[in-house]
């Protein structure tokens, strides 16, 4: 079967962030499962480069728009490689293959009267590059949920696309194809929107020079959506390329909720007007929000750098977390602490530990050679049935764009696997020679279960099978390989007895967030956000020379001279007042007395202390730390605290000394 899946094409106005990575990861997981099922898949992603925003950003940097986008597009492509994204094509709207199709379509639609020249008078939102009808403004401002900024009145010669003419046809299409817009809540929203009346769409600008020129009227460039949406067919070589013949209409366009309107109103109407079949489905997912409920975005800077996150946790963990945390049809929350919690509980404890236990037991009790099962009993039957059920459930959920549901199904099997080991207690069987047959059967079952989990995890975490292939010395992995065929998850006895296995390193070694953050600070590559996070976590000092992989609690930093230590000015201070910093549950703002001076210090201890517990206490301040701005408050120093496994104690004096006293 042919399967064509796309992500939106991203604006290369800033490097990609974790929110934009979600759609690409979901598309990749869907692509991988389809490929494992033997389908021919075409997975397209790319960049939307002809926008005014790009020109502004390039100007600000003093480079040409092309040079500017080339650099950022390279960072998108690098990110996709690092996240193991297996896209077939990457379309850039600055490419001639795209320009040609947009211009041809423009000319055709103009010739048939669906594009006409007129004058645009309307309210324009510059950051969103959108004209809004008066009726859609909210309190006179841009109605975009994520924007809400002022709009300006603009008059400009412009070409228009006759959206209004196709309104009824579009409504009929939505009625006849209930699956066209998913999830259903978004479908209902869109139907209401269309029934409210469509206005013709401005599709050119005279004020721009960067973009695709309107043929025969070159003072106009084609404007945003008519340009961007066409990528889905220009990349296939519309109208006569072999890929177009093979893959169009698309099976699914994955998009975020903010652009579903463009994909379910403008795009189908462009296609209808051009007599091109419509895509089968547009799926609009929610956004990733930060813990304060704000959309994750580069301009807000409310998340650590994606490359840094991959470096710390690995691509598989990032993929797992994002897919698991986005509930279908709703928004998800991204937080590094929650990521580490999931990493440690789901990936290290549940998933990774099952592999470690299994392989360690084969090493210990069978010299690393997979034993032959002696019989087939209830457990083996149960595993076969559950594996098939899980494979079907994952397939059903993932292909309906529900990564979280698919992973829930996979984790049912992970739970079964660990319970099976606990219940069959191979360590007890190993003590009794008469139970040897039982022991070998249990261990074989565990090895098979590990293999099955490897197959089922492959679409989500493609690094897992790669690691497993290093742990299993497979004489013949077949074609398609053991972990490349979805059907293999439903098969039994695929690992040959006699295969050598190694315990190797854990698939997902546990992570200590404090250590990660300290290392990041030490390397000096943390953004303000990162600094703030570590401050919030009550970290004491940055650790410039923290060793990679050193255990956080026990590692002692390299020696320093007494002169180095003398540079740190530690003082006793008295807490005069304390209050919570709004919109974060971690920071307290303290006013402290240092001699005659009063200072403000922001401290990440709000989860451990009520403000009133601190007032009047004598605590220790790093008095000569460079001031840092946290949540807009300039913090003049840092309060010392000790932390261990989630608890935290502020260092304070038992006997009173005057505020300002030195600590040596
Ligand atoms: N260039 C247009 C799309 C044209 S498609 C023909 C665009 N680009 S974008 O870079 O602003 O956004 C691309 C996608 O990223 C959108 O689907 C948007 O919803 C998604 N996301 C941006 N921030 C996001 C989160 N915080 N969370 C999830 N998705 C997010 O729009």
């Amino acid at each position: 079967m042919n399967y064509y899946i796309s992500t939106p094409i991203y604006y290369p106005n800033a490097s990609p962030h974790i929110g934009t990575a979600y759609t690409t990861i979901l598309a990749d997981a869907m692509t991988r499962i389809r490929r494992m099922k033997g389908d021919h898949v075409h997975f397209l992603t790319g960049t939307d480069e002809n926008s005014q925003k790009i020109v502004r950003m390039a100007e600000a940097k003093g480079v040409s728009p092309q040079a500017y986008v080339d650099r950022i597009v390279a960072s998108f492509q690098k990110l996709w490689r690092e996240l193991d994204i297996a896209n077939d094509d990457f379309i850039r709207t600055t490419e001639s293959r795209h320009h040609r199709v947009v211009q041809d379509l423009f000319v055709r639609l103009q010739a048939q009267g669906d594009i006409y020249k007129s004058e645009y008078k309307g309210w324009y939102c510059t950051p969103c590059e959108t004209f809004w009808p008066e009726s859609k403004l909210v309190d006179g401002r841009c109605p975009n949920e994520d924007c809400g900024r002022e709009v300006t009145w603009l008059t400009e010669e412009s070409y228009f696309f006759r959206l209004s003419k196709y309104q009824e046809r579009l409504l009929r299409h939505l009625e006849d194809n209930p699956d066209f817009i998913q999830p259903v809540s978004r479908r209902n929203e869109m139907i209401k929107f269309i029934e409210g009346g469509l206005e013709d769409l401005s599709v050119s600008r005279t004020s721009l020079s960067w973009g695709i020129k309107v043929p025969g009227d070159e003072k106009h460039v084609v404007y945003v959506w008519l340009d961007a949406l066409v990528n889905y067919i220009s990349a296939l070589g519309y109208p006569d390329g072999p890929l177009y013949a093979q893959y169009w209409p698309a099976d699914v366009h994955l998009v975020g909720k903010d652009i579903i309107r463009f994909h379910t109103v403008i795009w189908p109407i462009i296609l209808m007007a051009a007599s091109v079949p419509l895509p089968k489905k547009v799926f609009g997912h929610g956004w990733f929000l930060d813990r304060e409920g704000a959309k994750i975005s580069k301009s807000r800077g409310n998340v650590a750098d994606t490359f840094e996150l991959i470096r710390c946790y690995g691509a598989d963990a990032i993929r797992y977390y994002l897919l698991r945390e986005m509930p279908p049809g709703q928004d998800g929350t991204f937080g590094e602490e929650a990521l580490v919690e999931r990493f440690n509980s789901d990936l290290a404890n549940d998933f990774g530990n099952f592999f470690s236990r299994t392989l360690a037991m084969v090493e210990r009790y069978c010299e690393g050679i997979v034993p032959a099962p002696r019989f087939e009993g209830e457990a083996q039957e149960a595993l076969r049935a559950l594996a098939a059920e899980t494979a079907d459930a994952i397939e059903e959920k993932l292909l309906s764009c529900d990564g979280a549901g698919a992973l829930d199904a996979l984790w049912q099997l992970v739970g079964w696997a660990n319970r099976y080991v606990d219940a069959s207690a191979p360590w007890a069987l190993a003590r009794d020679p008469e139970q040897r047959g039982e022991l070998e059967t249990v261990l074989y079952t565990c090895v098979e279960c590990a293999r099955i989990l490897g197959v089922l995890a492959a679409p989500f975490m493609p690094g897992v099978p790669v690691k497993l292939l290093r742990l299993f010395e497979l004489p013949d992995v077949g074609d398609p390989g053991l972990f490349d065929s979805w059907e293999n998850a439903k098969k039994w006895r695929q690992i040959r007895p006699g295969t050598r296995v190694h315990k190797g390193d854990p698939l997902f070694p546990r992570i200590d967030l404090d250590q990660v953050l300290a290392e990041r600070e030490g390397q000096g590559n943390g953004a303000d956000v990162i600094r703030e996070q570590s401050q919030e976590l009550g970290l004491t000092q940055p650790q410039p020379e923290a060793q990679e992989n050193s255990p956080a609690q026990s590692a002692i930093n390299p020696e320093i001279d007494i002169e180095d230590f003398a540079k740190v000015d530690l003082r006793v201070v008295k807490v005069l007042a304390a209050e919570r910093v709004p919109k974060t549950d971690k920071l307290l703002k303290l006013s402290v007395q240092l001699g005659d001076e009063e200072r403000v210090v922001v401290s990440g201890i709000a989860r451990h202390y009520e403000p009133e517990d601190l007032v009047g206490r004598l605590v220790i301040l790093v008095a000569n730390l460079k001031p840092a701005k946290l949540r807009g408050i300039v913090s003049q120093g840092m309060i010392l605290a000790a932390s261990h496994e989630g608890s935290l104690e502020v260092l304070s004096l038992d006997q009173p000394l005057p505020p300002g006293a030195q600590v040596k």
Side-chain angles (χ1 to χ4, degrees), residues 279 294 344 384 559 596 608:
N344 287 337
R384 289 169 70 162
E559 283 176 357
D596 296 335
H608 305 272

Side-chain angles (χ1 to χ4, degrees), residues 8-11 17 19-20 48 232 256 258-259 287-288 295-296:
I9 46 173
Y10 301 99
Y11 290 130
H17 59 77
T20 39
D48 185 357
Y232 300 126
D258 48 327
I259 57 172
W287 286 338
F288 267 103
K295 182 186 177 197
I296 293 213

Side-chain angles (χ1 to χ4, degrees), residues 11 50 159 208 272 293 413 459 573 643:
Y11 290 130
N50 301 321
Y159 284 94
L208 312 176
M272 279 174 182
L413 184 57
V573 293
S643 73

Side-chain angles (χ1 to χ4, degrees), residues 499 520 623:
T499 301
R520 199 182 286 161

Side-chain angles (χ1 to χ4, degrees), residues 506-628:
L507 292 183
F508 295 102
R510 284 183 71 80
I511 284 180
D512 182 327
L513 179 61
D514 285 356
Q515 187 194 353
V516 168
L517 296 178
E519 275 173 12
R520 199 182 286 161
E521 282 238 349
Q523 285 161 1
N525 56 1
D528 282 348
V529 170
I530 296 162
R531 179 181 163 121
E532 181 174 332
Q533 278 171 343
S534 45
Q535 193 101 355
E536 283 184 17
L537 285 161
L539 282 179
T540 50
Q541 289 191 57
Q543 300 176 10
E545 293 182 57
Q547 302 291 306
E548 226 182 326
N549 301 327
S550 59
Q553 300 299 342
S554 57
I556 303 288
N557 280 345
E559 283 176 357
I560 56 169
D561 294 327
I562 186 86
E563 293 80 36
D564 292 328
F565 179 67
K567 288 183 196 156
V568 183
D569 194 356
L570 298 174
R571 298 297 180 111
V572 175
V573 293
K574 184 172 184 181
V575 181
L576 300 174
E579 60 183 281
R580 289 186 180 278
V581 175
K583 293 196 188 149
T584 159
D585 55 353
K586 293 205 174 152
L587 297 180
L588 289 184
K589 178 182 163 193
L590 309 178
S591 300
V592 298
Q593 183 194 349
L594 169 67
D596 296 335
E597 192 192 335
E598 191 176 323
R599 286 195 181 191
V600 169
V601 179
V602 178
S603 180
I605 52 178
R607 287 210 172 150
H608 305 272
Y609 289 91
E610 291 301 324
E612 54 275 17
D613 296 345
L614 291 162
V615 177
R617 274 174 74 167
L618 293 167
V619 298
I620 312 295
L621 178 78
V622 183
N624 62 339
L625 192 70
K626 262 195 197 138

Side-chain angles (χ1 to χ4, degrees), residues 178-179 286 342 373-374 503 537:
D179 287 346
R342 274 226 179 264
R374 304 286 178 87
K503 179 170 177 251
L537 285 161

